[in-house]
């Protein structure tokens, strides 16, 4: 298959699921070509969704954050692991209560489905990425779990790409709680099929007509493979070609960045 056929296969997909951290931006810096890619999505009439494991922001918060970087994307185009976590718990245990270590995006998502915050005897301990993380919060989470609370992680990413290198993500924050309690968290975000199926449902497109673009082999790419959609890896986030080769599975396509993808998609 030559390059033109590769490009036509990508152009031909009707539904596009796209990660954000390491794909559209690193930290507060937009990755070159991200604007061109979003413009192509709009101009070509694609059904698209930014499906992110980040739980710190609400969809409105993400719209505003990207707006500050120069991208105007409607909040309906965002689906986060915080929303997926809230949906999961609303289905499993409606009106339950939780002790939450996380930022506003997670708190808002849980509140919106009627899950109350409880710092005495919660049903669940829920952990997402946050800078408001300390010894006392870890100790309280451990205490609640030892007294019967269930442990939930918004997503299994150990790190996220920042402007100055990698920063801790949800799994890194959960690790000491798991180690001390001996309990393993249930992670709701990618590659969990629950989140992927929701994404495809929101797009209204069959898996065979969809693709996922991401920067992580262990969440984005394996999620795409297991869901049966075409996989595209970009090397602008946490994965290098050397790291990619250590995995027993491969993406369908590999690009240096979203900008390289955009340059090919607009190629006549």
């Amino acid at each position: 298959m030559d390059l033109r056929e590769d490009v036509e296969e990508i152009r031909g997909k009707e539904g596009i699921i796209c990660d954000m951290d390491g794909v559209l931006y690193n930290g507060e810096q937009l990755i070159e070509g991200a604007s061109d890619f979003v413009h192509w999505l709009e101009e070509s009439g694609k059904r698209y969704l930014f499906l992110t494991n980040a739980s710190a922001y609400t969809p409105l918060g993400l719209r505003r954050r990207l707006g500050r970087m120069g991208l105007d994307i409607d909040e309906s185009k965002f689906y986060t692991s915080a929303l997926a976590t809230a949906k999961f718990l609303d289905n499993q245990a409606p009106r339950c209560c939780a002790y939450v270590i996380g930022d506003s995006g997670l708190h808002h998502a849980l509140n919106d489905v009627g899950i109350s915050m409880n710092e005495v005897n919660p049903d669940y301990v829920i952990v997402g990425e946050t800078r408001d993380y300390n010894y006392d919060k870890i100790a309280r989470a451990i205490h609640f779990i030892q007294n019967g609370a269930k442990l939930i992680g918004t997503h299994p990413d150990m790190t996220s790409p920042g402007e100055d290198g990698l920063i801790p993500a949800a799994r890194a924050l959960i690790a000491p709680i798991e180690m001390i309690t001996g309990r393993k968290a249930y992670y709701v975000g990618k590659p969990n099929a629950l989140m992927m199926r929701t994404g495809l449902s929101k797009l209204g497109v069959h898996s065979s007509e969809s693709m996922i673009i991401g920067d992580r082999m262990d969440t984005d790419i394996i999620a795409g493979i297991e869901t049966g959609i075409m996989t595209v890896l970009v090397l602008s986030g946490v994965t290098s070609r050397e790291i990619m080769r250590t995995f027993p599975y491969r993406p369908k396509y590999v690009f240096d960045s979203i900008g390289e993808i955009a340059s090919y998609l607009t190629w006549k």
Side-chain angles (χ1 to χ4, degrees), residues 7-266:
V7 173
E8 289 306 314
E9 183 178 20
I10 294 172
R11 281 179 180 159
K13 296 300 181 183
E14 289 302 315
I16 298 175
I17 292 174
C18 189
D19 188 31
M20 297 177 66
D21 286 346
V23 178
L24 291 184
Y25 55 78
N26 282 323
E28 297 298 323
Q29 183 66 44
L30 203 65
I31 291 172
E32 185 176 355
S35 296
D36 294 334
F37 178 72
V38 172
H39 180 72
W40 176 81
L41 289 175
E42 289 288 346
E43 288 296 304
S44 59
K46 299 296 183 183
R47 301 185 188 183
Y48 66 93
L49 185 68
F50 292 104
L51 194 73
T52 174
N53 269 354
S55 63
Y57 290 88
T58 63
L60 177 59
L62 287 171
R63 179 182 183 180
R64 289 172 174 169
R65 183 184 183 190
L66 287 170
R68 291 192 296 271
M69 298 182 202
L71 287 181
D72 182 18
I73 300 173
D74 189 82
E75 59 194 275
S76 65
K77 300 296 186 182
F78 302 107
Y79 191 69
T80 71
S81 67
L83 295 173
T85 299
K87 180 180 179 181
F88 168 75
L89 286 173
D90 189 40
N91 289 332
Q92 288 283 304
R95 301 291 171 176
C96 65
C97 58
Y99 177 66
V100 180
I101 300 175
D103 283 344
S104 60
L106 181 55
H107 283 271
H108 280 293
L110 296 170
N111 283 328
D112 284 348
V113 297
I115 296 172
S116 60
M117 305 299 110
N118 184 319
E119 298 193 0
V120 179
N121 56 348
D123 302 309
Y124 292 90
V125 170
I126 306 172
V127 183
E129 69 273 9
T130 178
R131 294 180 182 273
D132 185 18
Y133 182 79
N134 55 48
Y135 182 90
D136 181 62
K137 289 180 182 291
I138 299 170
R140 297 182 79 179
I142 291 167
H143 170 74
F144 294 141
I145 292 166
Q146 289 174 331
N147 282 301
K150 308 299 188 296
L151 181 58
I152 301 289
T154 55
H155 62 83
D157 293 1
M158 187 69 75
T159 61
S160 295
E163 290 181 271
D164 300 317
L166 296 179
I167 58 176
R171 190 166 189 168
L173 306 187
I174 294 173
I177 301 171
E178 289 183 320
M179 291 174 65
I180 294 171
T181 63
R183 307 283 181 83
K184 294 297 182 182
Y186 179 72
Y187 294 97
V188 180
K190 296 176 291 183
N192 194 322
L194 290 172
M195 190 168 178
M196 293 299 294
R197 283 200 295 268
T198 299
L200 288 172
S201 176
K202 283 182 170 292
L203 289 177
V205 178
H206 191 271
S207 57
S208 63
E209 297 300 320
S210 303
M211 70 176 179
I212 183 170
I213 303 172
D215 71 315
R216 302 188 72 103
M217 291 291 290
D218 56 349
T219 53
D220 304 314
I221 301 307
I222 190 60
I225 291 170
E226 293 181 349
T227 311
I229 68 179
M230 193 175 80
T231 54
V232 179
L233 177 73
V234 291
L235 304 176
S236 51
V238 301
T239 304
S240 64
R241 290 186 185 274
E242 291 72 23
I243 292 174
M244 179 189 71
R245 295 187 186 105
T246 67
F247 287 84
Y249 49 86
R250 294 287 182 270
K252 180 69 180 289
Y253 297 108
V254 181
F255 294 91
D256 287 334
S257 70
I258 200 76
E260 185 182 14
I261 297 174
S263 69
Y264 288 130
L265 291 173
T266 56

